[in-house]
Coordinates of all heavy atoms in Angstrom, one line a residue:
D308 N 53.7 102.3 30.1 CA 52.5 101.7 30.4 C 52.5 100.3 30.3 O 51.5 99.6 30.1 CB 51.3 102.4 29.8 CG 51.0 103.8 30.3 OD1 51.4 104.0 31.5 OD2 50.5 104.6 29.5
T309 N 53.7 99.7 30.1 CA 53.9 98.3 30.0 C 54.8 97.6 31.2 O 55.8 98.2 31.5 CB 54.4 98.0 28.7 OG1 53.7 98.6 27.6 CG2 54.6 96.4 28.4
I310 N 54.3 96.4 31.7 CA 55.1 95.7 32.6 C 55.9 94.7 31.8 O 55.2 93.7 31.2 CB 54.4 95.1 33.7 CG1 53.6 96.1 34.5 CG2 55.3 94.3 34.6 CD1 52.6 95.6 35.4
T311 N 57.2 94.8 31.7 CA 58.0 93.9 30.9 C 58.7 92.9 31.8 O 58.8 93.1 32.9 CB 59.1 94.6 30.0 OG1 60.0 95.3 31.0 CG2 58.5 95.6 29.1
E312 N 59.2 91.8 31.1 CA 59.9 90.7 31.8 C 59.1 90.3 33.0 O 59.6 90.1 34.2 CB 61.3 91.2 32.3 CG 62.2 91.6 31.1 CD 63.6 92.2 31.6 OE1 64.1 91.7 32.7 OE2 64.0 93.0 31.0
A313 N 57.8 90.0 32.8 CA 56.9 89.8 33.9 C 56.6 88.4 34.1 O 56.7 87.6 33.2 CB 55.6 90.6 33.6
G314 N 56.2 88.1 35.2 CA 55.7 86.8 35.7 C 54.5 86.9 36.6 O 54.3 87.9 37.2
I315 N 53.7 85.9 36.7 CA 52.5 85.8 37.5 C 52.6 84.6 38.4 O 53.1 83.6 38.0 CB 51.2 85.8 36.6 CG1 50.0 85.8 37.6 CG2 51.1 84.6 35.8 CD1 48.7 86.1 36.8
V316 N 52.2 84.8 39.7 CA 52.4 83.8 40.7 C 51.1 83.7 41.6 O 50.6 84.8 41.9 CB 53.6 83.9 41.7 CG1 53.6 82.9 42.7 CG2 54.9 83.9 40.8
A317 N 50.5 82.5 41.9 CA 49.3 82.5 42.8 C 49.9 81.5 43.9 O 50.5 80.4 43.7 CB 48.2 81.9 42.2
Q318 N 49.7 82.1 45.1 CA 50.3 81.2 46.2 C 49.1 81.1 47.3 O 48.4 82.2 47.6 CB 51.4 82.0 46.9 CG 52.7 81.9 46.0 CD 53.9 82.6 46.8 OE1 53.7 83.6 47.5 NE2 55.0 82.1 46.5
P319 N 49.0 80.0 47.8 CA 48.0 79.9 49.0 C 48.4 80.7 50.1 O 49.6 80.7 50.5 CB 48.0 78.3 49.3 CG 48.7 77.6 48.2 CD 49.6 78.7 47.5
K320 N 47.4 81.3 50.7 CA 47.7 82.0 52.0 C 47.9 81.1 53.1 O 47.1 80.0 53.2 CB 46.5 83.0 52.4 CG 46.3 84.0 51.3 CD 45.1 84.9 51.6 CE 44.8 85.9 50.6 NZ 43.5 86.6 51.0
V321 N 48.9 81.3 54.0 CA 49.2 80.5 55.1 C 48.4 81.0 56.3 O 48.5 82.2 56.7 CB 50.7 80.5 55.5 CG1 50.9 79.7 56.6 CG2 51.5 80.0 54.3
R322 N 47.5 80.1 56.8 CA 46.8 80.4 58.1 C 47.7 80.5 59.3 O 48.6 79.6 59.4 CB 45.7 79.5 58.3 CG 44.7 79.6 57.1 CD 43.4 78.9 57.5 NE 42.4 79.2 56.5 CZ 42.2 78.5 55.4 NH1 42.8 77.3 55.1 NH2 41.2 78.8 54.5
P323 N 47.5 81.3 60.2 CA 48.4 81.4 61.4 C 48.6 80.1 62.2 O 49.7 79.8 62.5 CB 47.7 82.4 62.3 CG 47.0 83.3 61.3 CD 46.5 82.4 60.3
A324 N 47.5 79.4 62.2 CA 47.6 77.9 62.9 C 48.5 77.0 62.2 O 49.2 76.3 62.7 CB 46.3 77.5 63.2
A325 N 48.4 77.0 60.8 CA 49.1 76.2 60.0 C 50.6 76.5 60.0 O 51.5 75.7 59.9 CB 48.6 76.2 58.6
A326 N 50.8 77.8 60.1 CA 52.2 78.3 60.2 C 52.8 77.9 61.5 O 54.1 77.5 61.5 CB 52.3 79.9 59.9
A327 N 52.1 77.9 62.5 CA 52.6 77.6 63.9 C 53.0 76.0 63.9 O 53.9 75.6 64.4 CB 51.7 77.9 64.9

Side-chain angles (χ1 to χ4, degrees):
D308 286 334
T309 304
I310 301 173
T311 63
E312 301 177 32
I315 184 169
V316 177
Q318 295 181 325
K320 295 177 184 175
V321 177
R322 294 194 171 94

